[in-house]
Amino acid sequence: MNPSYKRRQPFMMIARKQLHIKVKDVFHLTLSHRDQLNLLTDILYDHQTDCCGSVSECEQLERLVKSLLVNSAVGEDMKQMLTDVYSYSQAGKYAQHLDDHIEAHQSKLSEWVDQLNTYF
């Protein structure tokens, strides 16, 4: 057994007991609509500033938008923008050159990030 593992194990056990966290509970965390909007903003901001992204980010955008669109806590004024983000993520997911797709939507990305930042 790795000696460093022995040193870390007691701390991890103590931390887990103090926080009353079970490993299986980590996989069942749900995000509030505010957390979802923060994550959505972060991904869009990264696309805007880095001019690149991944298919998995587009898929994450899709999941976030789907969840937000059915959430009653999200205002109607935001739903059109979310629909546009969903279309963007769908097109990005299937784009042959994702970075080109992201670059082509720089003005929209900026607009969406600005709109999401006014929500907070």
Side-chain angles (χ1 to χ4, degrees):
M1 189 181 270
N2 184 347
S4 64
Y5 176 75
K6 285 183 180 180
R7 285 193 299 253
R8 284 184 281 158
Q9 187 178 9
F11 174 75
M12 290 173 60
M13 291 174 72
I14 292 168
R16 199 177 303 143
K17 286 180 183 177
Q18 287 176 341
L19 297 174
H20 304 288
I21 295 175
K22 297 176 187 168
V23 173
K24 68 179 184 177
D25 293 337
V26 172
F27 299 106
H28 299 288
L29 294 175
T30 55
L31 298 174
S32 71
H33 82 282
R34 189 171 282 290
D35 293 332
Q36 290 174 332
L37 287 169
N38 274 325
L39 183 54
L40 180 75
T41 305
D42 286 346
I43 295 170
L44 292 173
Y45 179 77
D46 286 347
H47 283 203
Q48 178 193 9
T49 57
D50 299 341
C51 292
C52 64
S54 67
V55 170
S56 63
E57 288 173 335
C58 292
E59 292 169 340
Q60 181 67 39
L61 287 171
E62 286 180 346
R63 289 189 295 273
L64 289 166
V65 169
K66 280 182 183 179
S67 178
L68 288 164
L69 284 172
V70 297
N71 189 324
S72 61
V74 175
E76 290 298 320
D77 56 327
M78 188 164 286
K79 292 194 177 182
Q80 180 57 53
M81 187 261 314
L82 291 172
T83 303
D84 293 342
V85 171
Y86 185 81
S87 297
Y88 163 80
S89 63
Q90 280 270 295
K93 185 167 88 169
Y94 297 110
Q96 210 167 20
H97 303 286
L98 179 55
D99 294 348
D100 293 341
H101 170 74
I102 292 170
E103 283 186 41
H105 287 84
Q106 283 299 298
S107 63
K108 276 297 191 186
L109 288 164
S110 178
E111 182 181 317
W112 296 331
V113 168
D114 289 346
Q115 187 174 355
L116 285 163
N117 281 331
T118 62
Y119 185 77
F120 298 106

